[in-house]
Structures are given as structure tokens and as C-alpha cells.
Amino acid sequence: MTTVRRAVLTLPAAPLGPDNPLPALRAPAGAGAHAVDARTLAELPRDMARGLGRAPLRSLLPTPVRDGYGRDRTPADLDTIVIENDRLRATVLPGLGGRVHSLHHKSTGRELLYRNLVLQPAAFALNGAWFSGGIEWNIGATGHTTLSCSPLHAATVRAPDGGPMLRLWEWERLRDLPFQVDLWLPEDSDFLYVGVRVRNPHERTAPAYWWSNTAVPEERRVLAPADAAWHHGYDRGLNRLPVPLTEDGTDRSYPLNGAHAADYFYDLPDGQRRWIAALDADGHGLVQTSTDALRGRKLFLWGTERGGRRWQEWLTEPGTPGYAEIQAGLARTQLEHLELAGEAEFSWLEAYGPLAADPATALGDDWAAARADVEHRLETALPRAAVDAAYTAWREGAADAEPESVLAVGSGWGALEVLRGGHALPGTPFPESTLGPDQEPWRELLRTGVLPPPAKGAGPGAPLVAAPWRDMLETAPADPSTEYHLGIAQWHAGDRAQAVRSWERGLHRAEVRWPLLYCLAVADREDGHPQRAAERFAEAFAEHAGHGDHDGGEVVAAALGREGVAALLATGRPGRARELWARLPGEVRGRGAFRLLEIRILLAEGRPGEARAVFDEGFEVADLREGAEVLGEVWAELTDEPLPDAYEFRMRPS
């Protein structure tokens, strides 16, 4: 019989630490790595070009940036939920985005996924903290979801066959959409079934994005039913290439044949069954398939050059095998977003399980024969009709079923939205009991029309930016805290001039001024006034320092200090930058990001020897972004010597 139970997994883990206390007013850092230049955009199919240009994020609001982690790992107990039958055992991390950490095939003793041996956050999610390995559920916008390291609601539900099913659900805040992921193992099944639903409870159309990303060992051949793929190589291009051979005869279906990090989005023909597989030298491995709504399939590889190898080490224990990712999404590429009509939904079913193919064929030079062999064996193991039937049974008989036993609790933001909008969401309850301190001021605004001010000397609290909340803020009494939150909502809506006016009004009467000064500094920088921005960043830092240990103390000081030093350096004021840097707590100055700032200060002061000494001493910028090249750029200002391996994170050709 299938069982669903709680368990504990102990891993070496770096704690997530506190969220960044500053509102995320800007677009995701590193968004340019996924951009496409105008020439390429003009040459793409019209519907693809529309998807690429649909509703790009102007900011990360209302979600916070998660950059409080480091790289010191100690054993930690992680809550898990285990789904098991006599064939498979799936281990899920409900507190970390619902990640499937492991999928173990019991009869062969094979682990079907790349299972990371550590929990090491890194700056890959849209809002920062993310970790590698397993199967992750990405919703929101191009990139890894803001929920990568966040808790989801979890409960048992009746599966279509009457057995137990694990439901995960949350309210995704970037696009303001609730979603659910249902996982179950039919009795005697070799495949984990996953039913996914994304709902739009609003009257307006919403941009929708979904990709299920599966990490697999990179010593594999990746097969998909396509003869061409759209290649994205972190150089702002998107080119359609034949699969699998390159012009020089290299077989790009093997991740280790790629030199540099790259995405290959397979161009699956209409009517083709949707699947992707990763097989080892014996023809064994993992296959993922789905109903047709999940259209896209992708291979991501790190490449064999130094940057890709360094990233692999960065995300796990050095010396462990590397990984690649096989992925499945709603659109052809991850650069596109679809339209989800008001009061509508997207739903589909995925299946993950073992596949054993003839290695001579599946790994042979005849691509058409290799694909045909894998598809034939998939059809034998799990017919396409069976997947379609399982989807129908789930959608009509189980997707709306109410949870039975609660296993984990997510955030209170969904409960707040249901309270405000009166949304009926069968199967995914967001009870008022999940409301917490972050939501309490907003519930009071909803109840009374007044946003309560924060405690004396405290910061302003978490923002909300959706249009209904903005409307309530506009009619609420205009105290400094309300003006701060109103400005953030106006900024998110694209009304930057009005946002600045709101912040300036709040600043005149504010006792705690640093949050408003920070917002105005960002506005100045975005509007092309870097000198004034730098002054306001520095003033915000000084204002916070004058309030002692209020507002998270060191956390706020570090966030404001990092912004202020960078802004002062960018405007040619190294003396002021050093003064601000010297006022930071010693522990903060010792962190890798601040050692890098120290190097930049030393360079600006004309002290390259001392700057080089910091490199030689060694440091690690824990929240270095995917695609970041800053270490190489700063090194090049010092010397023509090759960049040491420890600082090599470039993901594209030099």
C-alpha cells in the first residue's frame, strides 16, 4: 500500500539567515542574463516574441530579497514528507519550496535524481536564496521561484485511486496567483504522479509561468522528441539549432560535451508526446512525461570550463559529481510568459519514473532511432493514454478534494488575500489561523481603513502592492508609515513620480527616516541622479545608526551600508565610501561581499597592492549572483594574470 508520512532528514546546511530588510524596488539582479537582444527578438516567431515581451518584472515587490545566508554548514534536521509504495520512495521538503529531494527506485536500488548531499543556499532564485538538486516547482517569472527556500502548506488528500496523496499549495506573490502540487504513487506504480494547478481568482488576466526543474547526474545522455532546440547561452541570443549534433560533430545531448553553461529548449512538434529522459551508459535513468499542456522541455548544462566547474563546487561539496537539469514548462522557452485569463486555470499532470532502454540504440549515433527506442519503452512502461486518463481522474475527482491531515503550514499571505477578496478555492484552504505578525497590520487596514503605525523606533514592516491594497492605502490616514507603503505600491504600479511624492510627504513627519530615504535614493538612481542617490543612501545609513540597535540593528546596517558604499564609489567619492565602510560592525566588514567592497575602495584610493592582498588572502561572496562577472572585472583592474579558480564564476566565453 502507498503511505504518506513525516520524517526527518539530517544534512550539513548553511542557515538561511534573515531576509534583507530593504524593499525590493528594482528588477531581479541578473535579469539581463536572460534577456534577448532586439535583433534576435525581431527574428523569432511572432507568438514567441510576444511571450518574451509579456509583463516583465519591474521589481521583486512584494517579496523580500533573501541574502542573509553564508557558507558555514553544520548538521541540521530538515522536516520531510515521504511518499512510498513497494516500487518508489519520494522524499519531499515542505519547508523548502516543496522540493522533491530524492526519488529512490526500490527494486533496483537506484536514485533517479541528483540528490545534493548538503543544503547550501546560493543567489539563483529571483529573490536570492536557492539550492541545487531534486525536483523543484518554479512559478512566477523567468528564473527560480521566490518560494525556493520558503515553506508551503502541506496536507494529505485522497488520491484518484483512493490512496493517500500529498498536496502542497501556496499563494505566489509576484503574480498574485494560488497554486497546488499534488503528488501520489498509485499502488504498484513505478511512476510518481504530479498534478499541478495554477489558478487566477481575479477578474483581470495575469501573466503565468511554470517550469518543473529536475536535477540529474551530468554523466548522462539527455533525449527529447525533437530535432531542433532553441539555444540560449547567456549572451542575449536565442538561436534555433539542430539536435543533437553541432557543426563540428559534437553531440550536445551529452551535458559534459558542452564547454559553457547553456540552455537548450527543445522544439517539440505539435501532437508529439511530451517527455524528456536522462540515461546513463547502461541505458538506465529517469524519464519525465506529462499531458500536453506542459509544452516545453529543456536541458540546462554547466559546461566543462572553469566557471561551470566552480559553480558546481559552490553549490555542493567539492569533489562530488556534477549535475545537469532536465526541465518541463508551460511555454517553449523559459523566457516566455503565457496569459492566464481571469477566473481561469492552467492544470496538467506529470509523471516521473525509471526507464531502461537498449544502450546500443538509445546511446547510439542514430538520433531518430534513439528517440524512437526511448519513446517505445516509455509507452510500454506508461502509455500516453494512461497519463491522460490519470489527469482526468485527478482533475475531476481529486483536485478539489479538501485536505484531511495537515502536515506543514506555509505563509499567511494567502489567508490575507482570501480574506480581502472572498475567493473560493476548493482544495486549497488558506485559513485565518495562518495569519501572522507580517499580515496583522494589513488585516487591520482591511477591517478599519487605517494602517497601524509600527512600534516606536521600529521599521515599517512588510509591504503589499496589489491594486486593491493600493486603493486602501490611498484612502487611509496619511501618516509616514502609510505614505511609505503607498509609495511602494505606486512604484510597483509604474507611477514613479507619485511614489516619490508619497515618500517625500512621509519624510517630513517621520521619526524613523531611513526607510523613506532609502526609497528616495533608489528612485534617484533609477531616474539618473547618482550623486543625489549616493547622498541619500549615506544619509539613510547615518539615520539608522542614530537609532542604535532598533530595526534589526546589524542586518539593516549591513544592507544600507552595502548600498551606500557602492553608490559613493560609483560617483567617485572613495573617501566618503571608506568612512561609511569603517562605521560598519567588524563582523560585517569581514564578510565576502564587504571584502570585495574594500578592494574597490582600495583601487579607487590608488592602492592596488593592498587590494591584491585581499584577493590573495581569500574571500567568498556568499550571495554572488548567477552570471555575475564582477570578480573577474575587478581582478582585471589589478593584473593581467589569469583569474584564480576560486574567483572564476563566468558562465559565458570570455
Side-chain angles (χ1 to χ4, degrees):
M1 293 180 60
T2 299
T3 60
V4 177
R5 57 183 170 85
R6 288 190 181 99
V8 173
L9 173 69
T10 302
L11 287 178
L16 285 172
D19 290 343
N20 192 305
L22 308 179
L25 299 176
R26 286 166 287 180
H34 300 288
V36 173
D37 60 54
R39 178 192 58 80
T40 300
L41 198 63
E43 297 173 353
L44 296 176
R46 188 169 301 175
D47 63 329
M48 184 182 286
R50 282 198 300 269
L52 265 65
R54 182 172 288 126
L57 292 179
R58 287 193 290 260
S59 76
L60 281 171
L61 294 168
T63 62
V65 171
R66 312 199 73 178
D67 60 1
Y69 53 87
R71 294 191 55 79
D72 294 329
R73 297 188 287 267
T74 57
D77 292 337
L78 306 177
D79 291 330
T80 69
I81 300 172
V82 177
I83 313 167
E84 189 167 12
N85 66 5
D86 62 344
R87 308 287 183 86
L88 281 176
R89 181 172 60 250
T91 302
V92 180
L93 302 173
L96 294 164
R99 183 80 58 101
V100 179
H101 173 73
S102 168
L103 187 59
H104 178 76
H105 191 227
K106 296 163 75 172
S107 61
T108 62
R110 294 177 181 270
E111 173 59 50
L112 300 180
L113 309 177
Y114 171 82
R115 183 182 58 189
N116 201 337
L117 300 178
V118 304
L119 175 61
Q120 176 56 63
F124 279 67
L126 286 163
N127 63 336
W130 171 89
F131 62 103
S132 65
I135 306 171
E136 57 178 304
W137 319 110
N138 291 300
I139 180 174
T142 300
H144 297 279
T145 177
T146 60
L147 296 166
S148 292
C149 291
S150 296
L152 304 188
H153 300 280
T156 56
V157 188
R158 288 295 103 188
D161 61 0
M165 177 169 73
L166 171 62
R167 173 161 300 157
L168 306 166
W169 73 99
E170 242 309 351
W171 197 284
E172 199 284 315
R173 301 179 66 207
L174 286 181
R175 303 303 195 183
D176 212 14
L177 302 176
F179 70 97
Q180 73 188 75
V181 179
D182 289 354
L183 304 98
W184 75 101
L185 284 169
E187 192 172 351
D188 298 326
S189 173
D190 282 303
F191 283 82
L192 174 67
Y193 284 11
V194 183
V196 183
R197 174 165 61 173
V198 180
R199 288 191 271 203
N200 181 3
H202 313 292
E203 294 181 356
R204 57 173 172 79
T205 297
Y209 173 94
W210 184 280
W211 280 79
S212 302
N213 291 9
T214 304
V216 294
E218 64 184 350
E219 300 89 353
R220 297 290 186 268
R221 188 184 205 188
V222 174
L223 298 102
D227 293 315
W230 296 93
H231 169 253
H232 181 258
Y234 296 84
D235 56 0
R236 302 178 70 87
L238 190 62
N239 307 306
R240 193 171 186 272
L241 302 174
V243 173
L245 298 181
T246 64
E247 291 181 358
D248 64 2
T250 303
D251 189 337
R252 59 169 60 95
S253 65
Y254 290 90
L256 286 173
N257 281 348
H260 299 280
D263 300 326
Y264 290 101
F265 300 101
Y266 295 103
D267 196 359
L268 275 62
D270 291 339
Q272 170 64 52
R273 182 177 185 179
R274 312 306 194 194
W275 60 267
I276 189 168
L279 306 179
D280 64 18
D282 296 325
H284 292 272
L286 173 77
V287 65
Q288 186 271 1
T289 188
S290 72
T291 48
D292 289 353
L294 203 64
R295 176 182 185 178
R297 292 297 184 276
K298 171 191 162 182
L299 163 65
F300 167 76
L301 57 92
W302 280 109
T304 57
E305 290 293 324
R306 291 197 307 155
R309 294 299 95 191
R310 183 69 177 109
W311 276 118
Q312 296 263 27
E313 294 176 352
W314 190 251
L315 297 171
T316 187
E317 290 283 10
T320 57
Y323 75 96
E325 288 184 359
I326 57 174
Q327 308 179 10
L330 284 173
R332 277 174 294 191
T333 74
Q334 286 174 333
L335 312 183
E336 303 167 72
H337 296 76
L338 304 184
E339 288 186 338
L340 179 54
E343 301 179 345
E345 69 175 49
F346 288 137
S347 62
W348 62 91
L349 185 127
E350 305 180 43
Y352 296 81
L355 189 82
D358 173 19
T361 304
L363 279 63
D365 294 335
D366 188 332
W367 177 248
R371 285 174 35 197
D373 181 65
V374 171
E375 187 152 355
H376 169 72
R377 291 173 188 273
L378 171 60
E379 185 66 19
T380 301
L382 184 64
R384 184 179 190 179
V387 174
D388 293 337
Y391 165 74
T392 300
W394 167 74
R395 182 60 193 87
E396 295 180 356
D400 288 345
E402 291 303 312
E404 297 176 355
S405 299
V406 174
L407 300 175
V409 178
S411 78
W413 295 113
L416 186 67
E417 292 302 329
V418 168
L419 192 64
R420 182 200 59 76
H423 305 301
L425 300 167
T428 55
F430 293 95
E432 286 192 52
S433 61
T434 61
L435 292 170
D438 283 345
Q439 294 83 41
E440 191 55 41
W442 297 100
R443 177 161 66 167
E444 190 69 10
L445 174 65
L446 186 62
R447 188 179 68 85
T448 67
V450 178
L451 185 70
K456 184 175 178 61
L464 281 176
V465 296
W469 296 107
R470 186 174 73 248
D471 293 343
M472 283 184 266
L473 289 167
E474 287 175 344
T475 58
D479 63 21
S481 175
T482 301
E483 295 282 20
Y484 165 83
H485 283 289
L486 175 58
I488 289 175
Q490 292 164 332
W491 181 272
H492 176 265
D495 192 351
R496 294 189 171 187
Q498 190 59 54
V500 169
R501 284 193 284 271
S502 295
W503 293 327
E504 288 176 339
R505 284 196 304 267
L507 188 63
H508 291 312
R509 294 183 292 138
E511 176 185 347
V512 178
R513 302 175 74 241
W514 67 260
L516 292 152
L517 287 166
Y518 169 77
C519 292
L520 289 167
V522 173
D524 283 335
R525 183 161 57 191
E526 296 292 303
D527 291 340
H529 304 293
Q531 300 281 350
R532 192 166 66 201
E535 289 297 332
R536 277 180 160 157
F537 280 128
E539 187 180 358
F541 178 84
E543 283 282 337
H544 175 264
H547 281 275
D549 292 331
H550 290 296
D551 315 321
E554 190 173 285
V555 176
V556 178
L560 290 173
R562 191 171 180 181
E563 294 275 8
V565 170
L568 289 166
L569 286 173
T571 54
R573 285 178 277 184
R576 291 281 307 280
R578 177 167 289 284
E579 290 173 7
L580 197 160
W581 183 82
R583 294 181 64 187
L584 288 164
E587 188 278 330
V588 171
R589 293 198 306 271
R591 298 174 194 169
F594 292 87
R595 299 304 306 277
L596 179 59
L597 283 176
E598 181 185 8
I599 291 171
R600 294 177 59 194
I601 293 171
L602 289 166
L603 279 169
E605 293 172 334
R607 300 157 67 185
E610 293 170 73
R612 171 64 185 265
V614 179
F615 267 110
D616 292 342
E617 183 180 341
F619 63 93
E620 292 182 325
V621 182
D623 63 337
L624 195 69
R625 281 305 297 192
E626 174 187 12
E629 299 180 353
V630 61
L631 293 176
E633 292 167 354
V634 174
W635 176 264
E637 293 184 48
L638 289 168
T639 177
D640 293 331
E641 297 174 26
L643 183 66
D645 288 347
Y647 304 115
E648 178 59 274
F649 291 93
R650 290 173 290 196
M651 297 174 65
R652 59 179 179 167
S654 299

